[in-house]
PDB file of all heavy atoms in Angstrom:
ATOM      1  N   VAL A 161     -45.539  35.807 -14.654  1.00  0.00           N
ATOM      2  CA  VAL A 161     -46.574  34.829 -14.298  1.00  0.00           C
ATOM      3  C   VAL A 161     -46.101  33.941 -13.160  1.00  0.00           C
ATOM      4  O   VAL A 161     -46.881  33.573 -12.271  1.00  0.00           O
ATOM      5  CB  VAL A 161     -46.977  33.991 -15.534  1.00  0.00           C
ATOM      6  CG1 VAL A 161     -48.020  32.943 -15.159  1.00  0.00           C
ATOM      7  CG2 VAL A 161     -47.520  34.893 -16.641  1.00  0.00           C
ATOM      8  N   GLU A 162     -44.809  33.578 -13.160  1.00  0.00           N
ATOM      9  CA  GLU A 162     -44.254  32.794 -12.058  1.00  0.00           C
ATOM     10  C   GLU A 162     -44.472  33.514 -10.730  1.00  0.00           C
ATOM     11  O   GLU A 162     -44.756  32.890  -9.698  1.00  0.00           O
ATOM     12  CB  GLU A 162     -42.761  32.541 -12.278  1.00  0.00           C
ATOM     13  CG  GLU A 162     -42.423  31.591 -13.408  1.00  0.00           C
ATOM     14  CD  GLU A 162     -42.517  30.129 -13.015  1.00  0.00           C
ATOM     15  OE1 GLU A 162     -43.001  29.844 -11.897  1.00  0.00           O
ATOM     16  OE2 GLU A 162     -42.130  29.283 -13.833  1.00  0.00           O
ATOM     17  N   GLU A 163     -44.327  34.832 -10.734  1.00  0.00           N
ATOM     18  CA  GLU A 163     -44.521  35.614  -9.520  1.00  0.00           C
ATOM     19  C   GLU A 163     -45.981  35.571  -9.066  1.00  0.00           C
ATOM     20  O   GLU A 163     -46.280  35.617  -7.870  1.00  0.00           O
ATOM     21  CB  GLU A 163     -44.110  37.069  -9.751  1.00  0.00           C
ATOM     22  CG  GLU A 163     -42.615  37.265  -9.993  1.00  0.00           C
ATOM     23  CD  GLU A 163     -42.277  38.700 -10.350  1.00  0.00           C
ATOM     24  OE1 GLU A 163     -43.223  39.509 -10.457  1.00  0.00           O
ATOM     25  OE2 GLU A 163     -41.088  39.008 -10.524  1.00  0.00           O
ATOM     26  N   MET A 164     -46.885  35.498 -10.020  1.00  0.00           N
ATOM     27  CA  MET A 164     -48.316  35.535  -9.703  1.00  0.00           C
ATOM     28  C   MET A 164     -48.831  34.222  -9.116  1.00  0.00           C
ATOM     29  O   MET A 164     -49.756  34.229  -8.298  1.00  0.00           O
ATOM     30  CB  MET A 164     -49.116  35.867 -10.965  1.00  0.00           C
ATOM     31  CG  MET A 164     -48.892  37.249 -11.518  1.00  0.00           C
ATOM     32  SD  MET A 164     -49.643  37.420 -13.157  1.00  0.00           S
ATOM     33  CE  MET A 164     -51.352  37.011 -12.799  1.00  0.00           C
ATOM     34  N   LEU A 165     -48.253  33.112  -9.532  1.00  0.00           N
ATOM     35  CA  LEU A 165     -48.788  31.798  -9.165  1.00  0.00           C
ATOM     36  C   LEU A 165     -47.893  31.130  -8.131  1.00  0.00           C
ATOM     37  O   LEU A 165     -46.748  30.799  -8.412  1.00  0.00           O
ATOM     38  CB  LEU A 165     -48.900  30.914 -10.412  1.00  0.00           C
ATOM     39  CG  LEU A 165     -49.718  31.489 -11.580  1.00  0.00           C
ATOM     40  CD1 LEU A 165     -49.765  30.504 -12.721  1.00  0.00           C
ATOM     41  CD2 LEU A 165     -51.121  31.868 -11.129  1.00  0.00           C
ATOM     42  N   GLU A 166     -48.409  30.916  -6.947  1.00  0.00           N
ATOM     43  CA  GLU A 166     -47.630  30.328  -5.874  1.00  0.00           C
ATOM     44  C   GLU A 166     -47.241  28.891  -6.215  1.00  0.00           C
ATOM     45  O   GLU A 166     -47.963  28.194  -6.946  1.00  0.00           O
ATOM     46  CB  GLU A 166     -48.397  30.377  -4.554  1.00  0.00           C
ATOM     47  CG  GLU A 166     -49.672  29.576  -4.507  1.00  0.00           C
ATOM     48  CD  GLU A 166     -50.884  30.335  -5.004  1.00  0.00           C
ATOM     49  OE1 GLU A 166     -50.725  31.330  -5.726  1.00  0.00           O
ATOM     50  OE2 GLU A 166     -52.007  29.902  -4.677  1.00  0.00           O
ATOM     51  N   PRO A 167     -46.114  28.411  -5.708  1.00  0.00           N
ATOM     52  CA  PRO A 167     -45.610  27.082  -6.086  1.00  0.00           C
ATOM     53  C   PRO A 167     -46.581  25.938  -5.824  1.00  0.00           C
ATOM     54  O   PRO A 167     -46.593  24.957  -6.564  1.00  0.00           O
ATOM     55  CB  PRO A 167     -44.335  26.941  -5.244  1.00  0.00           C
ATOM     56  CG  PRO A 167     -43.878  28.349  -5.022  1.00  0.00           C
ATOM     57  CD  PRO A 167     -45.137  29.148  -4.882  1.00  0.00           C
ATOM     58  N   ARG A 168     -47.409  26.028  -4.774  1.00  0.00           N
ATOM     59  CA  ARG A 168     -48.289  24.913  -4.418  1.00  0.00           C
ATOM     60  C   ARG A 168     -49.665  25.005  -5.083  1.00  0.00           C
ATOM     61  O   ARG A 168     -50.561  24.211  -4.762  1.00  0.00           O
ATOM     62  CB  ARG A 168     -48.464  24.850  -2.898  1.00  0.00           C
ATOM     63  CG  ARG A 168     -47.181  24.495  -2.136  1.00  0.00           C
ATOM     64  CD  ARG A 168     -47.489  24.281  -0.665  1.00  0.00           C
ATOM     65  NE  ARG A 168     -46.315  23.853   0.074  1.00  0.00           N
ATOM     66  CZ  ARG A 168     -45.502  24.679   0.726  1.00  0.00           C
ATOM     67  NH1 ARG A 168     -45.733  25.963   0.712  1.00  0.00           N
ATOM     68  NH2 ARG A 168     -44.454  24.219   1.381  1.00  0.00           N
ATOM     69  N   LEU A 169     -49.859  25.938  -5.995  1.00  0.00           N
ATOM     70  CA  LEU A 169     -51.178  26.110  -6.602  1.00  0.00           C
ATOM     71  C   LEU A 169     -51.620  24.853  -7.345  1.00  0.00           C
ATOM     72  O   LEU A 169     -52.797  24.486  -7.333  1.00  0.00           O
ATOM     73  CB  LEU A 169     -51.161  27.306  -7.551  1.00  0.00           C
ATOM     74  CG  LEU A 169     -52.491  27.628  -8.243  1.00  0.00           C
ATOM     75  CD1 LEU A 169     -53.581  27.924  -7.213  1.00  0.00           C
ATOM     76  CD2 LEU A 169     -52.324  28.809  -9.193  1.00  0.00           C
ATOM     77  N   GLY A 170     -50.699  24.184  -8.020  1.00  0.00           N
ATOM     78  CA  GLY A 170     -51.052  22.974  -8.741  1.00  0.00           C
ATOM     79  C   GLY A 170     -51.593  21.896  -7.823  1.00  0.00           C
ATOM     80  O   GLY A 170     -52.538  21.170  -8.175  1.00  0.00           O
ATOM     81  N   ASP A 171     -51.025  21.761  -6.623  1.00  0.00           N
ATOM     82  CA  ASP A 171     -51.508  20.766  -5.663  1.00  0.00           C
ATOM     83  C   ASP A 171     -52.949  21.075  -5.247  1.00  0.00           C
ATOM     84  O   ASP A 171     -53.771  20.168  -5.085  1.00  0.00           O
ATOM     85  CB  ASP A 171     -50.611  20.733  -4.434  1.00  0.00           C
ATOM     86  CG  ASP A 171     -49.203  20.252  -4.751  1.00  0.00           C
ATOM     87  OD1 ASP A 171     -49.055  19.500  -5.729  1.00  0.00           O
ATOM     88  OD2 ASP A 171     -48.269  20.641  -4.033  1.00  0.00           O
ATOM     89  N   LEU A 172     -53.249  22.364  -5.074  1.00  0.00           N
ATOM     90  CA  LEU A 172     -54.616  22.751  -4.719  1.00  0.00           C
ATOM     91  C   LEU A 172     -55.571  22.444  -5.867  1.00  0.00           C
ATOM     92  O   LEU A 172     -56.687  21.952  -5.654  1.00  0.00           O
ATOM     93  CB  LEU A 172     -54.662  24.231  -4.358  1.00  0.00           C
ATOM     94  CG  LEU A 172     -56.043  24.803  -4.006  1.00  0.00           C
ATOM     95  CD1 LEU A 172     -56.654  24.045  -2.826  1.00  0.00           C
ATOM     96  CD2 LEU A 172     -55.952  26.298  -3.704  1.00  0.00           C
ATOM     97  N   ALA A 173     -55.144  22.737  -7.102  1.00  0.00           N
ATOM     98  CA  ALA A 173     -55.988  22.437  -8.259  1.00  0.00           C
ATOM     99  C   ALA A 173     -56.243  20.937  -8.381  1.00  0.00           C
ATOM    100  O   ALA A 173     -57.356  20.497  -8.696  1.00  0.00           O
ATOM    101  CB  ALA A 173     -55.336  22.976  -9.531  1.00  0.00           C
ATOM    102  N   ALA A 174     -55.203  20.133  -8.126  1.00  0.00           N
ATOM    103  CA  ALA A 174     -55.368  18.682  -8.190  1.00  0.00           C
ATOM    104  C   ALA A 174     -56.356  18.199  -7.129  1.00  0.00           C
ATOM    105  O   ALA A 174     -57.193  17.319  -7.395  1.00  0.00           O
ATOM    106  CB  ALA A 174     -54.013  18.002  -8.018  1.00  0.00           C
ATOM    107  N   LEU A 175     -56.285  18.763  -5.926  1.00  0.00           N
ATOM    108  CA  LEU A 175     -57.228  18.406  -4.874  1.00  0.00           C
ATOM    109  C   LEU A 175     -58.653  18.769  -5.292  1.00  0.00           C
ATOM    110  O   LEU A 175     -59.587  17.970  -5.098  1.00  0.00           O
ATOM    111  CB  LEU A 175     -56.857  19.120  -3.574  1.00  0.00           C
ATOM    112  CG  LEU A 175     -57.849  18.960  -2.419  1.00  0.00           C
ATOM    113  CD1 LEU A 175     -57.917  17.498  -1.977  1.00  0.00           C
ATOM    114  CD2 LEU A 175     -57.457  19.855  -1.247  1.00  0.00           C
ATOM    115  N   ALA A 176     -58.808  19.947  -5.879  1.00  0.00           N
ATOM    116  CA  ALA A 176     -60.140  20.354  -6.343  1.00  0.00           C
ATOM    117  C   ALA A 176     -60.669  19.374  -7.380  1.00  0.00           C
ATOM    118  O   ALA A 176     -61.867  19.033  -7.386  1.00  0.00           O
ATOM    119  CB  ALA A 176     -60.074  21.765  -6.927  1.00  0.00           C
ATOM    120  N   GLY A 177     -59.792  18.902  -8.247  1.00  0.00           N
ATOM    121  CA  GLY A 177     -60.217  17.926  -9.248  1.00  0.00           C
ATOM    122  C   GLY A 177     -60.702  16.636  -8.616  1.00  0.00           C
ATOM    123  O   GLY A 177     -61.700  16.041  -9.056  1.00  0.00           O
ATOM    124  N   ARG A 178     -60.016  16.192  -7.566  1.00  0.00           N
ATOM    125  CA  ARG A 178     -60.418  14.955  -6.900  1.00  0.00           C
ATOM    126  C   ARG A 178     -61.741  15.109  -6.146  1.00  0.00           C
ATOM    127  O   ARG A 178     -62.482  14.146  -5.965  1.00  0.00           O
ATOM    128  CB  ARG A 178     -59.314  14.502  -5.935  1.00  0.00           C
ATOM    129  CG  ARG A 178     -58.017  14.098  -6.626  1.00  0.00           C
ATOM    130  CD  ARG A 178     -57.080  13.379  -5.663  1.00  0.00           C
ATOM    131  NE  ARG A 178     -56.630  14.231  -4.575  1.00  0.00           N
ATOM    132  CZ  ARG A 178     -55.553  15.003  -4.607  1.00  0.00           C
ATOM    133  NH1 ARG A 178     -54.826  15.061  -5.723  1.00  0.00           N
ATOM    134  NH2 ARG A 178     -55.185  15.717  -3.563  1.00  0.00           N
ATOM    135  N   LEU A 179     -62.029  16.325  -5.698  1.00  0.00           N
ATOM    136  CA  LEU A 179     -63.239  16.568  -4.918  1.00  0.00           C
ATOM    137  C   LEU A 179     -64.411  17.056  -5.761  1.00  0.00           C
ATOM    138  O   LEU A 179     -65.515  17.241  -5.236  1.00  0.00           O
ATOM    139  CB  LEU A 179     -62.948  17.592  -3.813  1.00  0.00           C
ATOM    140  CG  LEU A 179     -61.934  17.170  -2.741  1.00  0.00           C
ATOM    141  CD1 LEU A 179     -61.679  18.316  -1.775  1.00  0.00           C
ATOM    142  CD2 LEU A 179     -62.430  15.939  -1.996  1.00  0.00           C
ATOM    143  N   ARG A 180     -64.177  17.265  -7.043  1.00  0.00           N
ATOM    144  CA  ARG A 180     -65.217  17.849  -7.887  1.00  0.00           C
ATOM    145  C   ARG A 180     -66.461  16.951  -7.955  1.00  0.00           C
ATOM    146  O   ARG A 180     -67.598  17.436  -7.918  1.00  0.00           O
ATOM    147  CB  ARG A 180     -64.671  18.110  -9.287  1.00  0.00           C
ATOM    148  CG  ARG A 180     -65.623  18.896 -10.172  1.00  0.00           C
ATOM    149  CD  ARG A 180     -64.903  19.414 -11.394  1.00  0.00           C
ATOM    150  NE  ARG A 180     -63.868  20.379 -11.030  1.00  0.00           N
ATOM    151  CZ  ARG A 180     -64.108  21.654 -10.774  1.00  0.00           C
ATOM    152  NH1 ARG A 180     -65.338  22.120 -10.822  1.00  0.00           N
ATOM    153  NH2 ARG A 180     -63.121  22.464 -10.466  1.00  0.00           N
ATOM    154  N   GLY A 181     -66.247  15.626  -8.059  1.00  0.00           N
ATOM    155  CA  GLY A 181     -67.389  14.725  -8.121  1.00  0.00           C
ATOM    156  C   GLY A 181     -68.229  14.778  -6.860  1.00  0.00           C
ATOM    157  O   GLY A 181     -69.469  14.800  -6.918  1.00  0.00           O
ATOM    158  N   LYS A 182     -67.569  14.800  -5.710  1.00  0.00           N
ATOM    159  CA  LYS A 182     -68.283  14.873  -4.441  1.00  0.00           C
ATOM    160  C   LYS A 182     -69.062  16.176  -4.327  1.00  0.00           C
ATOM    161  O   LYS A 182     -70.210  16.188  -3.854  1.00  0.00           O
ATOM    162  CB  LYS A 182     -67.294  14.742  -3.283  1.00  0.00           C
ATOM    163  CG  LYS A 182     -67.936  14.683  -1.912  1.00  0.00           C
ATOM    164  CD  LYS A 182     -66.885  14.450  -0.825  1.00  0.00           C
ATOM    165  CE  LYS A 182     -67.553  14.354   0.545  1.00  0.00           C
ATOM    166  NZ  LYS A 182     -66.540  14.117   1.618  1.00  0.00           N
ATOM    167  N   ALA A 183     -68.441  17.274  -4.784  1.00  0.00           N
ATOM    168  CA  ALA A 183     -69.132  18.563  -4.738  1.00  0.00           C
ATOM    169  C   ALA A 183     -70.356  18.561  -5.643  1.00  0.00           C
ATOM    170  O   ALA A 183     -71.421  19.102  -5.292  1.00  0.00           O
ATOM    171  CB  ALA A 183     -68.169  19.678  -5.132  1.00  0.00           C
ATOM    172  N   SER A 184     -70.245  17.931  -6.819  1.00  0.00           N
ATOM    173  CA  SER A 184     -71.372  17.874  -7.760  1.00  0.00           C
ATOM    174  C   SER A 184     -72.526  17.075  -7.179  1.00  0.00           C
ATOM    175  O   SER A 184     -73.700  17.375  -7.438  1.00  0.00           O
ATOM    176  CB  SER A 184     -70.919  17.255  -9.083  1.00  0.00           C
ATOM    177  OG  SER A 184     -69.951  18.070  -9.705  1.00  0.00           O
TER     178      SER A 184
END
Side-chain angles (χ1 to χ4, degrees):
V161 178
E162 290 278 8
E163 293 174 357
M164 294 170 57
L165 305 181
E166 64 273 20
R168 294 187 176 94
L169 181 59
D171 295 333
L172 178 58
L175 174 65
R178 294 192 296 271
L179 296 176
R180 188 166 295 278
K182 185 176 182 180
S184 296

